[in-house]
Amino acid sequence: MSEQVRIDAVGRQGDGIASTPQGRVHVAYTLPGELVEIAREGDRGTLLHIIEPSAERIAQRCKHFGECGGCALEHWAAEPYLAWKRSLVAEALAREGVSAEVAQTMPAYGAGRIRAVFHSGRGAKKEAVGFAKRRSHEIVDLDECPVLAPLLEAALPLARQLAKILLSTGKPIDLHVTVAERGLDIDIRGPGKLPKPIESRVVSFAAEKKVLRISLHGEPLAQLMPPTHLIGSVRVTLPPAPFLQATAEGERVLAEKVMQAAEGAKFAADLFSGIGTFALRLASKMKVSAFDNHEPSIAALQAAAKSPGLKPVTASVRDLFRWPLVADELKKIDLVVLDPPRVGAEAQTRELAKSKVKKVAYVSCDADTFARDAKTLVDGGFKLVAVTPVDQFQYSPHIELVGVFKR
Ligand SMILES: C[S@@+](CC[C@H](N)C(=O)[O-])C[C@H]1O[C@@H](n2cnc3c(N)ncnc32)[C@H](O)[C@@H]1O
């Protein structure tokens, strides 16, 4: 049976939320103020019809919107959408009792996303290649995705051909596709060791399609030339399936904020450094010690750190969740850059709170864990002096940010 509800707000996952006598109900693809007809199942409602649309509703950009789980908010005008992203950060900080001025959200889409994971071999339609549907393992067979960089969007037919070769293994496939400087880098995950005939077809495919490198679970199968990525003026040879910021513009904006925070520092620690997105830029101005638990990324950073014109960089493999840098190791450091995964940097911020470090630039991809860690730093004597939300994941509920702490 259907019912009518009025949407009050957009929640943290990007769904509209209506308060009803039976409790709150989440309705995807709706906007604040809208009167909608829904089919309710528990605390979720499926949108059947928009009775009174919001003035903020805009036309969707992608034909797969509403089916593909990649985007949640293509139907919202840019201004209220960016303000909502800012509110996610401000509200997370308020929940932790951390006061700070949160700047306007900076859109950082540039030419689109430079990495994606295309799935195949799952659900009823095994040959589909794309992203998962909302709340499902079924794959939407994508033939467009406007948020991707043109080279990555153009890789969809290639991914489909490669998946076809790999699907004869009968296993689900993930293709980690990265836009490198001179072409595409693809890491295949999921099928395990390939039978020889399939491996040969993959190698021929790489040569025919001029893919820079195809690797399998991180082990190169075919390489036309090493895939590279430019960090500032330093060229880094990428490990397979590297972590890169989602868009080139996002990387530029985050790095600009980190470099501003670094002004005056002489020795920086870049924690959760990856391949050196911040470390290699900082090294144009100061000594840097970088740490990450991903050996191939640290090896790539060590090699790139030998580039001319850089101050000394040391890069070490270390699990910073289990062995965070302690106060004694941080004695000579005057700036710490943190860029942890979504779970945040709980153990490391506890050590920073006990240390004498004066400045921390915290790059985060999760407002809640950032706010938790911010509280630890503030309780340890830091002040959160600037927070800038940065939107690299257009139309999704994700938000990146840079927080600068000083004492
Ligand atoms: C959000 S990425 C940031 C990478 C880099 N700063 C950049 O911008 O490209 C998070 C990084 O944390 C690293 N990481 C994840 N868990 C870790 C751990 N327990 N200890 C150290 N590094 C870890 C990952 O390998 C990844 O490089």
Side-chain angles (χ1 to χ4, degrees):
M1 212 181 69
S2 71
E3 67 184 271
Q4 289 185 8
V5 295
R6 176 83 64 187
I7 303 298
D8 306 319
V10 172
R12 283 195 259 172
Q13 300 308 317
D15 293 344
I17 299 178
S19 300
T20 73
Q22 298 79 39
R24 277 149 60 105
V25 59
H26 296 247
V27 189
Y29 313 119
T30 59
L31 294 176
E34 289 188 328
L35 182 65
V36 295
E37 191 178 334
I38 62 164
R40 188 197 284 247
E41 235 182 274
D43 63 354
R44 308 229 143 250
T46 302
L47 177 63
L48 300 175
H49 176 59
I50 303 170
I51 300 158
E52 288 175 18
S54 160
E56 294 173 353
R57 182 170 279 277
I58 57 169
Q60 66 190 62
R61 196 171 149 199
C62 173
K63 70 181 201 189
H64 300 293
F65 180 62
E67 189 195 12
C68 175
C71 288
L73 291 155
E74 253 184 53
H75 57 298
W76 206 358
E79 204 179 304
Y81 158 80
L82 290 169
W84 169 75
K85 287 217 159 171
R86 176 183 177 276
S87 75
L88 295 178
V89 178
E91 285 166 16
L93 286 168
R95 277 194 296 275
E96 291 289 347
V98 175
S99 64
E101 193 58 41
V102 179
Q104 302 294 318
T105 308
M106 292 179 72
Y109 319 126
R113 297 213 200 142
I114 57 171
R115 60 181 171 88
V117 183
F118 299 130
H119 309 293
S120 189
R122 292 186 174 83
K125 207 173 154 209
K126 294 270 184 276
E127 70 282 8
V129 175
F131 302 132
K133 289 185 182 177
R134 275 177 70 89
R135 306 180 167 278
S136 163
H137 296 300
E138 293 292 329
I139 303 301
V140 181
D141 203 21
L142 290 182
D143 48 19
E144 67 172 21
C145 179
V147 297
L148 301 183
L151 192 59
L152 198 50
E153 192 179 24
L156 278 164
L158 277 190
R160 191 161 285 115
Q161 288 168 39
L162 181 56
K164 206 168 175 185
I165 299 172
L166 296 163
L167 285 174
S168 51
T169 61
K171 306 246 178 70
I173 307 294
D174 290 335
L175 299 174
H176 292 243
V177 187
T178 304
V179 177
E181 266 191 294
R182 282 167 296 177
L184 294 172
D185 180 24
I186 303 178
D187 188 46
I188 302 164
R189 300 277 166 105
K193 194 171 159 43
L194 293 179
K196 270 284 164 227
I198 297 182
E199 187 179 312
S200 307
R201 285 177 69 195
V202 172
V203 171
S204 309
F205 172 88
E208 191 190 315
K209 304 296 178 191
K210 299 196 167 40
V211 180
L212 294 183
R213 175 178 60 191
I214 296 190
S215 48
L216 175 67
H217 297 280
E219 291 301 322
L221 291 179
Q223 182 166 292
L224 185 64
M225 61 180 85
T228 54
H229 180 74
L230 210 53
I231 294 182
S233 59
V234 180
R235 184 154 282 129
V236 183
T237 300
L238 293 172
F243 178 89
L244 293 182
Q245 295 295 338
T247 68
E249 178 63 5
E251 179 182 322
R252 190 193 66 75
V253 170
L254 295 172
E256 188 179 84
K257 292 283 159 201
V258 168
M259 292 308 284
Q260 280 166 5
E263 235 147 76
K266 292 198 166 52
F267 191 179
D270 182 7
L271 310 184
F272 307 93
S273 64
I275 59 168
T277 303
F278 305 118
L280 291 168
R281 287 178 167 94
L282 290 163
S284 65
K285 300 240 157 61
M286 64 196 77
K287 269 196 330 182
V288 184
S289 281
F291 297 88
D292 198 284
N293 72 346
H294 188 239
E295 284 188 43
S297 294
I298 288 295
L301 171 51
Q302 282 166 342
K306 296 187 182 118
S307 306
L310 297 181
K311 306 269 192 234
V313 178
T314 60
S316 313
V317 177
R318 180 153 162 172
D319 182 337
L320 295 166
F321 294 162
R322 296 171 74 184
W323 294 291
L325 265 67
V326 296
D328 208 40
E329 295 172 283
L330 291 163
K331 263 199 306 227
K332 294 191 178 139
I333 300 290
D334 43 17
L335 166 78
V336 168
V337 177
L338 287 173
D339 182 14
R342 288 226 168 104
V343 290
E346 204 169 9
Q348 187 58 69
T349 43
R350 262 191 258 121
E351 293 304 323
L352 282 165
K354 289 188 239 160
S355 77
K356 296 251 161 27
V357 169
K358 291 261 177 332
K359 223 178 336 176
V360 173
Y362 191 143
V363 180
S364 165
C365 53
D366 187 288
D368 292 334
T369 57
F370 169 76
R372 177 202 66 202
D373 294 345
K375 169 95 170 85
T376 305
L377 292 174
V378 168
D379 288 349
F382 283 95
K383 187 170 171 11
L384 179 51
V385 294
V387 185
T388 312
V390 177
D391 189 23
Q392 299 193 76
F393 291 97
Q394 192 174 17
Y395 309 130
S396 85
H398 299 303
I399 184 70
E400 308 267 324
L401 64 95
V402 185
V404 179
F405 298 82
K406 288 186 184 168
R407 60 162 145 219

